[in-house]
Amino acid sequence: MMEPLKAQLLQILSPYGQKHVLRFWESLTLGEKQALANQVQAVDFDLLARLAGETGKPPLAQGDIEPAPFVELPTDDASAGRWSRARETGEAALRAGRVAAFVVAGGQGTRLGFDGPKGAFPVGPITERSLFQVHCEKVLAASRHYGSTIPLAVMTSSANDAATRAFFEQHEFFGLPPDSVRIFTQEEMPAVDASGKLILESPRHIFMSPNGHGGSLKALWDSGCIEWLEDLGIDTISYFQVDNPLVKVIDPAFVGFHIEGAADISLKVLRRTIPEEKLGIWVHVAGEGRVVEYIDMPVEKMRARNEDGSLRFSGGSIAIHCFSVAFIRALNREGFALPFHYAAKKISFVDESGKTIRPAEPNGTKFETFVFDALAFAKRIVAVETLREEEFSPVKNAAGNDSPETARRDMSRAYAHLLDAVGISVGLDTDGYPLHPIKIARSESRTP
Ligand code: UTP
């Protein structure tokens, strides 16, 4: 007679043509069987079947695509006044303890190929501080400056959650009060092969991957983090990605613009200079704010230039946001779903004999949601300009563009500018980079 658990699983899997998941069932231990059963029971097979039948390009809202406006950097007294008022608004919110920091760190960091959570990567130009340390020091410095503990939420995924927690504990939360830090995991999604079948990465395990940074908006809610923040009196979340060491984790002017605009979501944009750069583009679609991946932009628009040669669609999104806590609560209360984007990936799998195969070419599709797709649910959006050299140098690749090497150089350059602003000049090369690496530990500085 068939084991009841196996029969139960077959009932779930058969209608979707996924029985192969139990191919090695008889060779599994009791514990392995239960773990595999838990995986199967957690899969939304209707959703997966629907996704397998779609294209992976979430349809753009219908309508004309036009450049979207943003608050530009100050150019005259009037705009400087606007910026300083926003800064004051943000500073008041920070002093009142209304702002939390939120880093998404659930990604797999495949391109970097670092053994450990990406946040543990030693990025510091001199002392090799980790990305997590760089960010936490900024939270600490801002907390001291504004005289109010700024909570930090950290999103992980099941693959790096334990290692991330251990890293924070090993480093004593980088000086932050441990109870001001919340670490929680995001959901996972299975991947499928070319025929829509789940992929077994081992005889007892279905391949799963984190569901994209868009998963953060649900994970904040499911983990109880939103309630925790509300209990602390937080109404604004400063969101950033773990791989950008230059991000101003707490930026009073940005927070101020967000609050003054009563925005659900705010975003930072920098001036695009290279049409094909892999940045989301800040646009209006039929008058509504959206970020469109560069690859989804009609080519003529992606390349369109103004008379002065600048790109017509000038705002590039760099994944720095403010979210209103009430907006995230409302999204989750009302139920929301972000569209899935598809990515073709090389995914190791076991063949029928149980042997692990590492494909040389992409053999599977991963499904991810993107946080900027939440703009479609926002009633009020504020976009604010920032400078690339001050705020954006992500660590994506092991070498070349957007690598540890470029990030370290950019960090030293940003520190050189900070020193310059207080009258300390350091030697620069012809490209404006300092001749020697520089470190400024934000926790020691008086201003954030
Ligand atoms: P990327 O999309 O660049 O992915 O994530 P990654 O994991 O860092 O690197 P690759 O693509 O595997 O090489 C941008 C940011 O979003 C977070 C990442 O941790 C990073 O901070 N992220 C991404 C999540 O938190 N969860 C996800 O599911 C995906």
Side-chain angles (χ1 to χ4, degrees):
M1 217 182 78
M2 191 186 289
E3 276 172 74
L5 182 57
K6 183 175 181 191
Q8 205 186 326
L9 296 179
L10 280 175
Q11 259 188 1
I12 300 176
L13 294 165
S14 301
Y16 298 97
Q18 304 281 7
K19 282 194 305 192
H20 66 287
V21 166
L22 304 186
R23 185 180 286 143
F24 301 99
W25 184 259
E26 318 309 334
S27 67
L28 304 185
T29 66
L30 216 57
E32 290 169 348
K33 285 179 180 171
Q34 192 53 57
L36 183 58
N38 292 346
Q39 273 201 303
V40 170
Q41 283 155 350
V43 172
D44 181 342
F45 285 98
D46 283 336
L47 171 67
L48 212 56
R50 182 165 63 71
L51 292 178
E54 291 175 358
T55 61
K57 290 267 163 258
L60 257 187
Q62 292 300 307
D64 288 342
I65 304 180
E66 290 297 331
F70 49 83
V71 180
E72 299 188 5
L73 289 167
T75 49
D76 54 21
D77 285 351
S79 51
R82 195 175 167 205
W83 275 80
S84 73
R85 277 193 302 282
R87 174 177 291 275
E88 281 163 23
T89 302
E91 289 186 333
L94 283 156
R95 277 193 293 273
R98 290 169 50 194
V99 184
F102 175 33
V103 58
V104 291
Q108 293 169 306
T110 347
R111 285 167 289 173
L112 181 62
F114 171 64
D115 185 19
K118 209 190 225 186
F121 185 82
V123 75
I126 296 177
T127 46
E128 303 207 319
R129 285 174 300 159
S130 63
L131 282 158
F132 278 135
Q133 180 168 355
V134 169
H135 299 316
C136 288
E137 285 181 353
K138 293 181 193 175
V139 176
L140 191 56
S143 293
R144 286 181 183 159
H145 184 69
Y146 295 109
S148 156
T149 302
I150 296 172
L152 172 68
V154 182
M155 185 177 81
T156 63
S157 52
S158 54
N160 68 19
D161 184 68
T164 302
R165 286 173 192 277
F167 194 71
F168 269 80
E169 270 159 31
Q170 184 193 340
H171 293 91
E172 296 175 346
F173 292 77
F174 308 100
L176 296 172
D179 62 358
S180 72
V181 179
R182 269 280 171 115
I183 303 177
F184 57 89
T185 53
Q186 64 181 115
E187 287 183 349
E188 297 189 302
M189 272 294 283
V192 294
D193 68 12
S195 40
K197 303 254 190 246
L198 293 171
I199 298 174
L200 274 182
E201 68 175 343
S202 80
R204 57 177 188 280
H205 201 258
I206 300 169
F207 174 83
M208 306 280 278
S209 60
N211 63 348
H213 39 66
S216 61
L217 298 176
K218 188 158 180 290
L220 274 169
W221 178 256
D222 290 345
S223 63
C225 194
I226 288 294
E227 271 189 11
W228 173 62
L229 295 175
E230 284 174 335
D231 288 347
L232 292 172
I234 303 290
D235 58 24
T236 301
I237 294 176
S238 176
Y239 166 107
F240 59 100
Q241 303 192 332
V242 75
D243 53 14
N244 179 15
L246 283 192
V247 61
K248 293 177 191 164
V249 166
I250 295 294
D251 178 350
F254 184 47
V255 168
F257 280 121
H258 172 80
I259 290 175
E260 288 176 356
D264 295 319
I265 307 180
S266 296
L267 65 153
K268 280 199 182 171
V269 297
L270 47 74
R271 300 257 172 191
R272 295 172 60 241
T273 48
I274 304 165
E276 282 80 14
E277 188 181 7
K278 292 180 180 169
L279 277 184
I281 306 176
W282 167 231
V283 301
H284 268 173
V285 181
E288 303 207 338
R290 297 281 187 278
V291 169
V292 178
E293 278 194 283
Y294 82 104
I295 208 155
D296 295 334
M297 271 293 268
V299 176
E300 72 286 358
K301 291 200 188 273
M302 185 174 76
R303 296 188 179 148
R305 292 195 182 265
N306 298 310
E307 272 176 13
D308 66 1
S310 59
L311 287 168
R312 194 162 100 78
F313 288 82
S314 56
S317 168
I318 50 171
I320 300 174
H321 299 287
C322 275
F323 285 99
S324 124
V325 169
F327 171 69
I328 297 178
R329 165 176 276 276
L331 275 185
N332 284 281
R333 269 283 167 84
E334 288 155 22
F336 75 111
L338 299 179
F340 281 94
H341 298 249
Y342 299 9
K345 298 276 175 182
K346 290 184 254 180
I347 301 170
S348 298
F349 62 98
V350 283
D351 68 8
E352 296 191 5
S353 68
K355 194 171 132 221
T356 299
I357 311 286
R358 295 183 208 289
E361 295 302 323
N363 61 323
T365 303
K366 277 196 201 174
F367 305 104
E368 291 197 344
T369 57
F370 293 166
V371 78
F372 56 70
D373 282 325
L375 289 168
F377 297 94
K379 293 199 180 63
R380 287 170 303 277
I381 303 167
V382 168
V384 180
E385 183 179 2
T386 188
L387 290 175
R388 181 188 298 265
E389 57 271 29
E390 280 188 7
E391 227 179 331
F392 187 58
S393 187
V395 178
K396 299 285 183 194
N397 307 308
N401 284 343
D402 295 342
S403 66
E405 191 191 341
T406 54
R408 286 183 187 123
R409 263 164 54 93
D410 291 343
M411 288 169 83
S412 285
R413 180 175 58 172
Y415 293 148
H417 284 175
L418 285 176
L419 290 174
D420 194 51
V422 293
I424 305 169
S425 49
V426 296
L428 302 179
D429 67 16
T430 46
D431 295 325
Y433 285 95
L435 297 170
H436 304 287
I438 298 176
K439 169 201 164 182
I440 297 182
R442 305 299 290 241
S443 56
E444 306 303 330
S445 67
R446 289 188 52 245
T447 56

mmCIF file of all heavy atoms in Angstrom, residues 3 39 44 46 49 93 97 152 159 163 171 186 188 190 212 252 271 276 331 346 359 373 407 415 417 425 428 435 437:
data_model
loop_
_atom_site.group_PDB
_atom_site.id
_atom_site.type_symbol
_atom_site.label_atom_id
_atom_site.label_comp_id
_atom_site.label_asym_id
_atom_site.label_seq_id
_atom_site.Cartn_x
_atom_site.Cartn_y
_atom_site.Cartn_z
ATOM 1 N N GLU A 3 2.253 4.849 0.908
ATOM 2 C CA GLU A 3 2.265 5.687 2.124
ATOM 3 C C GLU A 3 1.232 6.808 1.980
ATOM 4 O O GLU A 3 1.175 7.442 0.914
ATOM 5 C CB GLU A 3 3.610 6.396 2.243
ATOM 6 C CG GLU A 3 4.718 5.639 2.871
ATOM 7 C CD GLU A 3 6.003 6.456 2.704
ATOM 8 O OE1 GLU A 3 6.147 7.461 3.413
ATOM 9 O OE2 GLU A 3 6.803 6.093 1.824
ATOM 10 N N GLN A 39 7.807 21.391 1.327
ATOM 11 C CA GLN A 39 8.086 22.238 0.155
ATOM 12 C C GLN A 39 6.933 22.180 -0.841
ATOM 13 O O GLN A 39 6.460 23.206 -1.319
ATOM 14 C CB GLN A 39 9.365 21.745 -0.540
ATOM 15 C CG GLN A 39 10.650 22.327 0.008
ATOM 16 C CD GLN A 39 11.751 22.192 -1.035
ATOM 17 O OE1 GLN A 39 12.049 21.084 -1.486
ATOM 18 N NE2 GLN A 39 12.356 23.296 -1.418
ATOM 19 N N ASP A 44 2.468 27.342 -4.780
ATOM 20 C CA ASP A 44 1.186 27.739 -5.363
ATOM 21 C C ASP A 44 1.197 27.261 -6.827
ATOM 22 O O ASP A 44 1.710 27.952 -7.716
ATOM 23 C CB ASP A 44 1.041 29.270 -5.281
ATOM 24 C CG ASP A 44 -0.284 29.757 -5.846
ATOM 25 O OD1 ASP A 44 -0.925 29.002 -6.600
ATOM 26 O OD2 ASP A 44 -0.659 30.903 -5.531
ATOM 27 N N ASP A 46 -1.182 26.738 -9.009
ATOM 28 C CA ASP A 46 -1.990 27.496 -9.981
ATOM 29 C C ASP A 46 -1.191 28.678 -10.498
ATOM 30 O O ASP A 46 -1.150 28.956 -11.699
ATOM 31 C CB ASP A 46 -3.290 28.002 -9.328
ATOM 32 C CG ASP A 46 -4.296 26.872 -9.204
ATOM 33 O OD1 ASP A 46 -4.183 25.906 -9.992
ATOM 34 O OD2 ASP A 46 -5.162 26.957 -8.318
ATOM 35 N N ALA A 49 1.583 27.508 -12.827
ATOM 36 C CA ALA A 49 1.078 27.114 -14.145
ATOM 37 C C ALA A 49 0.753 28.362 -14.962
ATOM 38 O O ALA A 49 1.034 28.423 -16.157
ATOM 39 C CB ALA A 49 -0.162 26.243 -13.987
ATOM 40 N N ALA A 93 11.518 65.097 11.693
ATOM 41 C CA ALA A 93 10.959 63.727 11.760
ATOM 42 C C ALA A 93 11.974 62.781 12.406
ATOM 43 O O ALA A 93 11.612 61.902 13.194
ATOM 44 C CB ALA A 93 10.591 63.256 10.365
ATOM 45 N N GLY A 97 11.853 60.638 16.052
ATOM 46 C CA GLY A 97 11.879 59.170 16.025
ATOM 47 C C GLY A 97 10.838 58.567 15.105
ATOM 48 O O GLY A 97 10.282 57.503 15.391
ATOM 49 N N LEU A 152 16.559 49.496 12.644
ATOM 50 C CA LEU A 152 17.026 48.959 11.363
ATOM 51 C C LEU A 152 16.325 47.627 11.106
ATOM 52 O O LEU A 152 16.402 46.717 11.932
ATOM 53 C CB LEU A 152 18.545 48.743 11.391
ATOM 54 C CG LEU A 152 19.119 48.001 10.176
ATOM 55 C CD1 LEU A 152 19.019 48.850 8.901
ATOM 56 C CD2 LEU A 152 20.577 47.597 10.410
ATOM 57 N N ALA A 159 18.279 31.153 2.439
ATOM 58 C CA ALA A 159 19.653 30.689 2.198
ATOM 59 C C ALA A 159 20.679 31.470 3.032
ATOM 60 O O ALA A 159 21.720 30.927 3.389
ATOM 61 C CB ALA A 159 19.982 30.816 0.721
ATOM 62 N N ALA A 163 23.307 32.819 8.424
ATOM 63 C CA ALA A 163 24.645 33.416 8.329
ATOM 64 C C ALA A 163 24.577 34.918 8.619
ATOM 65 O O ALA A 163 25.488 35.486 9.237
ATOM 66 C CB ALA A 163 25.233 33.156 6.946
ATOM 67 N N HIS A 171 29.524 40.512 15.319
ATOM 68 C CA HIS A 171 30.016 41.899 15.330
ATOM 69 C C HIS A 171 29.225 42.798 16.268
ATOM 70 O O HIS A 171 29.251 44.025 16.137
ATOM 71 C CB HIS A 171 30.006 42.477 13.911
ATOM 72 C CG HIS A 171 31.005 41.806 13.020
ATOM 73 N ND1 HIS A 171 30.701 40.723 12.254
ATOM 74 C CD2 HIS A 171 32.324 42.039 12.830
ATOM 75 C CE1 HIS A 171 31.775 40.318 11.600
ATOM 76 N NE2 HIS A 171 32.783 41.097 11.936
ATOM 77 N N GLN A 186 12.393 36.729 3.559
ATOM 78 C CA GLN A 186 11.388 36.918 2.522
ATOM 79 C C GLN A 186 10.911 35.548 2.033
ATOM 80 O O GLN A 186 11.494 34.517 2.373
ATOM 81 C CB GLN A 186 11.980 37.708 1.365
ATOM 82 C CG GLN A 186 13.119 37.015 0.635
ATOM 83 C CD GLN A 186 13.679 37.858 -0.498
ATOM 84 O OE1 GLN A 186 14.822 38.277 -0.468
ATOM 85 N NE2 GLN A 186 12.890 38.080 -1.521
ATOM 86 N N GLU A 188 10.032 32.538 -0.832
ATOM 87 C CA GLU A 188 10.776 31.964 -1.954
ATOM 88 C C GLU A 188 9.825 31.569 -3.064
ATOM 89 O O GLU A 188 8.623 31.410 -2.828
ATOM 90 C CB GLU A 188 11.504 30.702 -1.486
ATOM 91 C CG GLU A 188 12.539 30.960 -0.426
ATOM 92 C CD GLU A 188 13.354 29.731 -0.173
ATOM 93 O OE1 GLU A 188 12.762 28.698 0.176
ATOM 94 O OE2 GLU A 188 14.582 29.794 -0.348
ATOM 95 N N PRO A 190 9.674 28.719 -6.451
ATOM 96 C CA PRO A 190 10.394 27.684 -7.203
ATOM 97 C C PRO A 190 10.710 28.198 -8.602
ATOM 98 O O PRO A 190 10.092 29.156 -9.070
ATOM 99 C CB PRO A 190 9.383 26.539 -7.270
ATOM 100 C CG PRO A 190 8.060 27.112 -6.932
ATOM 101 C CD PRO A 190 8.241 28.457 -6.306
ATOM 102 N N GLY A 212 12.532 38.005 -5.057
ATOM 103 C CA GLY A 212 12.846 39.349 -5.559
ATOM 104 C C GLY A 212 12.673 40.405 -4.475
ATOM 105 O O GLY A 212 11.996 40.167 -3.472
ATOM 106 N N PRO A 252 18.158 63.331 5.459
ATOM 107 C CA PRO A 252 17.069 64.180 5.958
ATOM 108 C C PRO A 252 16.316 64.919 4.853
ATOM 109 O O PRO A 252 15.092 65.056 4.934
ATOM 110 C CB PRO A 252 17.774 65.167 6.898
ATOM 111 C CG PRO A 252 19.228 64.991 6.678
ATOM 112 C CD PRO A 252 19.451 63.652 6.062
ATOM 113 N N ARG A 271 20.922 61.412 -12.913
ATOM 114 C CA ARG A 271 20.845 61.731 -14.349
ATOM 115 C C ARG A 271 21.442 60.598 -15.155
ATOM 116 O O ARG A 271 22.609 60.246 -14.971
ATOM 117 C CB ARG A 271 21.646 63.005 -14.645
ATOM 118 C CG ARG A 271 21.148 64.188 -13.890
ATOM 119 C CD ARG A 271 20.331 65.095 -14.751
ATOM 120 N NE ARG A 271 19.737 66.117 -13.900
ATOM 121 C CZ ARG A 271 18.805 66.957 -14.288
ATOM 122 N NH1 ARG A 271 18.352 66.922 -15.523
ATOM 123 N NH2 ARG A 271 18.308 67.833 -13.463
ATOM 124 N N GLU A 276 22.093 52.858 -22.639
ATOM 125 C CA GLU A 276 21.920 51.418 -22.378
ATOM 126 C C GLU A 276 22.266 51.017 -20.947
ATOM 127 O O GLU A 276 22.243 49.841 -20.619
ATOM 128 C CB GLU A 276 22.778 50.581 -23.344
ATOM 129 C CG GLU A 276 22.195 50.455 -24.734
ATOM 130 C CD GLU A 276 22.449 51.687 -25.591
ATOM 131 O OE1 GLU A 276 23.299 52.507 -25.188
ATOM 132 O OE2 GLU A 276 21.772 51.858 -26.632
ATOM 133 N N LEU A 331 -1.525 48.224 1.699
ATOM 134 C CA LEU A 331 -1.283 47.238 0.630
ATOM 135 C C LEU A 331 -1.581 45.831 1.127
ATOM 136 O O LEU A 331 -2.260 45.046 0.471
ATOM 137 C CB LEU A 331 0.201 47.255 0.227
ATOM 138 C CG LEU A 331 0.716 48.245 -0.792
ATOM 139 C CD1 LEU A 331 2.183 47.947 -1.086
ATOM 140 C CD2 LEU A 331 -0.082 48.192 -2.084
ATOM 141 N N LYS A 346 21.210 29.549 -14.993
ATOM 142 C CA LYS A 346 21.786 28.203 -14.955
ATOM 143 C C LYS A 346 21.477 27.626 -13.579
ATOM 144 O O LYS A 346 21.908 28.203 -12.568
ATOM 145 C CB LYS A 346 23.306 28.267 -15.131
ATOM 146 C CG LYS A 346 23.722 28.667 -16.530
ATOM 147 C CD LYS A 346 25.230 28.627 -16.657
ATOM 148 C CE LYS A 346 25.775 30.025 -16.685
ATOM 149 N NZ LYS A 346 27.212 30.137 -16.811
ATOM 150 N N PRO A 359 24.574 22.868 -15.514
ATOM 151 C CA PRO A 359 24.431 23.223 -16.929
ATOM 152 C C PRO A 359 25.352 24.371 -17.329
ATOM 153 O O PRO A 359 25.644 25.255 -16.513
ATOM 154 C CB PRO A 359 22.967 23.645 -17.041
ATOM 155 C CG PRO A 359 22.577 24.050 -15.668
ATOM 156 C CD PRO A 359 23.417 23.259 -14.707
ATOM 157 N N ASP A 373 7.669 48.101 -8.754
ATOM 158 C CA ASP A 373 6.335 47.863 -9.323
ATOM 159 C C ASP A 373 5.228 48.280 -8.353
ATOM 160 O O ASP A 373 4.065 48.415 -8.758
ATOM 161 C CB ASP A 373 6.171 46.396 -9.733
ATOM 162 C CG ASP A 373 6.876 46.102 -11.059
ATOM 163 O OD1 ASP A 373 6.897 46.996 -11.930
ATOM 164 O OD2 ASP A 373 7.414 44.994 -11.218
ATOM 165 N N ALA A 407 33.649 50.154 -6.470
ATOM 166 C CA ALA A 407 32.985 50.664 -5.264
ATOM 167 C C ALA A 407 34.008 51.278 -4.311
ATOM 168 O O ALA A 407 33.782 52.352 -3.739
ATOM 169 C CB ALA A 407 32.204 49.550 -4.575
ATOM 170 N N TYR A 415 34.617 60.166 0.035
ATOM 171 C CA TYR A 415 35.219 60.625 1.289
ATOM 172 C C TYR A 415 36.108 61.841 1.035
ATOM 173 O O TYR A 415 36.165 62.769 1.843
ATOM 174 C CB TYR A 415 36.042 59.503 1.936
ATOM 175 C CG TYR A 415 35.230 58.321 2.422
ATOM 176 C CD1 TYR A 415 35.744 57.034 2.420
ATOM 177 C CD2 TYR A 415 33.921 58.490 2.895
ATOM 178 C CE1 TYR A 415 35.001 55.946 2.869
ATOM 179 C CE2 TYR A 415 33.171 57.410 3.336
ATOM 180 C CZ TYR A 415 33.715 56.138 3.314
ATOM 181 O OH TYR A 415 32.984 55.071 3.759
ATOM 182 N N HIS A 417 35.617 64.118 -1.146
ATOM 183 C CA HIS A 417 34.737 65.285 -1.278
ATOM 184 C C HIS A 417 34.261 65.767 0.082
ATOM 185 O O HIS A 417 34.172 66.965 0.332
ATOM 186 C CB HIS A 417 33.540 64.942 -2.164
ATOM 187 C CG HIS A 417 33.914 64.896 -3.620
ATOM 188 N ND1 HIS A 417 33.045 64.509 -4.604
ATOM 189 C CD2 HIS A 417 35.078 65.166 -4.248
ATOM 190 C CE1 HIS A 417 33.659 64.551 -5.781
ATOM 191 N NE2 HIS A 417 34.899 64.943 -5.580
ATOM 192 N N SER A 425 42.121 69.239 1.875
ATOM 193 C CA SER A 425 42.216 68.747 0.504
ATOM 194 C C SER A 425 43.218 67.601 0.418
ATOM 195 O O SER A 425 44.252 67.596 1.093
ATOM 196 C CB SER A 425 42.560 69.872 -0.462
ATOM 197 O OG SER A 425 43.636 70.573 0.048
ATOM 198 N N LEU A 428 44.388 64.482 -5.809
ATOM 199 C CA LEU A 428 43.484 63.765 -6.713
ATOM 200 C C LEU A 428 44.204 63.462 -8.020
ATOM 201 O O LEU A 428 45.089 64.220 -8.438
ATOM 202 C CB LEU A 428 42.249 64.630 -7.023
ATOM 203 C CG LEU A 428 41.394 65.100 -5.846
ATOM 204 C CD1 LEU A 428 40.242 65.970 -6.340
ATOM 205 C CD2 LEU A 428 40.845 63.925 -5.041
ATOM 206 N N LEU A 435 44.490 60.030 -4.686
ATOM 207 C CA LEU A 435 45.683 59.238 -5.013
ATOM 208 C C LEU A 435 45.835 58.053 -4.062
ATOM 209 O O LEU A 435 46.445 57.050 -4.399
ATOM 210 C CB LEU A 435 46.924 60.129 -4.930
ATOM 211 C CG LEU A 435 46.945 61.287 -5.946
ATOM 212 C CD1 LEU A 435 48.078 62.256 -5.645
ATOM 213 C CD2 LEU A 435 47.064 60.731 -7.369
ATOM 214 N N PRO A 437 43.743 55.522 -0.965
ATOM 215 C CA PRO A 437 42.433 55.166 -0.411
ATOM 216 C C PRO A 437 42.143 55.952 0.874
ATOM 217 O O PRO A 437 43.079 56.323 1.601
ATOM 218 C CB PRO A 437 42.543 53.673 -0.090
ATOM 219 C CG PRO A 437 43.831 53.215 -0.620
ATOM 220 C CD PRO A 437 44.674 54.395 -0.978
#
